[in-house]
Amino acid sequence: KKAQQISDFWEDLVFQYEQEIKYNNKTTTNLYLGTIILNTSNNNNKSLVVDGQQRMTTIFILFVAIRNYLQSIISSPDKNLSSDKLASIRGQLTSIQPFISSSDIAFGTHERATLEASPSIKETIDAMADHEWKPPFNKDLDGFREVSQIYNFFEKMIKQDIDLDHIASFLTALYESSCIVIGIEDMEEA
């Protein structure tokens, strides 16, 4: 069931990507991701995801797969990319990274995942947040098996379905996705 949901998400995203290309990134529709329920009773500016963790984790993994794909394009010696194309790819990488990890050089904090994953996959997600992370997955980390299946699917599909010349349209489709967020303060409300 989970594999089918991820495949359906990918198909919907690719359809939206194709619409972005067709309408030059000016579509009037966007990809709807459903409802996310957050417990907002915590006072430290963090919300606990009550419903929607799998969708958020899936999108996080997709961002990592896109980041790694773009990094591989830049570092590939057989790609003859113009300086404009390289600058564009670097710009895309810069726009993606805040969805994956955060750090504050001024305060000396290290990169950490923007997604606080469930304990069963937290170690693997945290490792992937590092901008230098690349497969293979560390089999000693919790959750590598579940996460690697999703990552490998996205890695394959990005190479198969996404034209590098239209990566901005793909990211627009992803960035412009929408959901309904419901904040609750009592778990009984969920």
Side-chain angles (χ1 to χ4, degrees):
K1 180 180 175 185
K2 190 186 294 188
Q4 185 61 50
Q5 290 172 332
I6 292 168
S7 179
D8 290 347
F9 164 69
W10 179 259
E11 288 175 20
D12 292 344
L13 183 57
V14 167
F15 175 79
Q16 188 64 36
Y17 155 70
E18 291 167 349
Q19 296 301 302
E20 295 294 341
I21 292 170
K22 184 176 179 180
Y23 296 105
N24 200 26
N25 294 338
K26 293 178 179 25
T27 62
T28 58
T29 63
N30 57 18
L31 177 61
Y32 176 66
L33 301 173
T35 302
I36 295 177
I37 300 175
L38 303 175
N39 181 336
T40 58
S41 64
N42 197 340
N43 292 332
N44 65 358
N45 292 332
K46 289 185 178 181
S47 297
L48 175 67
V49 179
V50 176
D51 182 43
Q53 181 77 22
Q54 183 178 329
R55 276 171 281 163
M56 293 177 73
T57 303
T58 298
I59 292 168
F60 176 91
I61 295 168
L62 173 58
F63 274 121
V64 173
I66 296 166
R67 177 196 66 194
N68 288 356
Y69 170 70
L70 293 176
Q71 286 175 335
S72 73
I73 296 294
I74 287 174
S75 63
S76 177
D78 61 325
K79 300 279 185 195
N80 288 329
L81 300 174
S82 69
S83 59
D84 287 345
K85 189 62 160 174
L86 280 171
S88 174
I89 293 171
R90 286 189 178 108
Q92 298 300 341
L93 281 168
T94 300
S95 73
I96 291 168
Q97 194 59 34
F99 291 98
I100 299 169
S101 67
S102 62
S103 61
D104 191 333
I105 296 170
F107 291 105
T109 60
H110 298 285
E111 285 183 309
R112 64 181 187 277
T114 55
L115 174 72
E116 192 164 321
S118 65
S120 64
I121 61 171
K122 183 173 178 25
E123 287 182 333
T124 297
I125 293 295
D126 288 349
M128 292 171 75
D130 186 319
H131 73 279
E132 294 180 358
W133 179 87
K134 291 174 183 46
F137 284 82
N138 181 341
K139 294 180 179 172
D140 294 332
L141 297 179
D142 288 341
F144 85 90
R145 190 168 284 115
E146 299 84 4
V147 173
S148 67
Q149 291 172 353
I150 299 167
Y151 177 88
N152 292 338
F153 171 80
F154 285 141
E155 183 179 56
K156 174 185 167 197
M157 300 312 288
I158 289 166
K159 291 175 184 173
Q160 174 183 305
D161 292 342
I162 308 306
D163 180 348
L164 183 60
D165 290 333
H166 295 289
I167 193 72
S169 295
F170 181 75
L171 289 171
T172 297
L174 189 55
Y175 294 152
E176 298 294 323
S177 299
S178 65
C179 65
I180 294 174
V181 177
I182 299 172
I184 61 169
E185 291 190 13
D186 185 348
M187 289 301 287
E188 290 184 20
E189 294 179 54

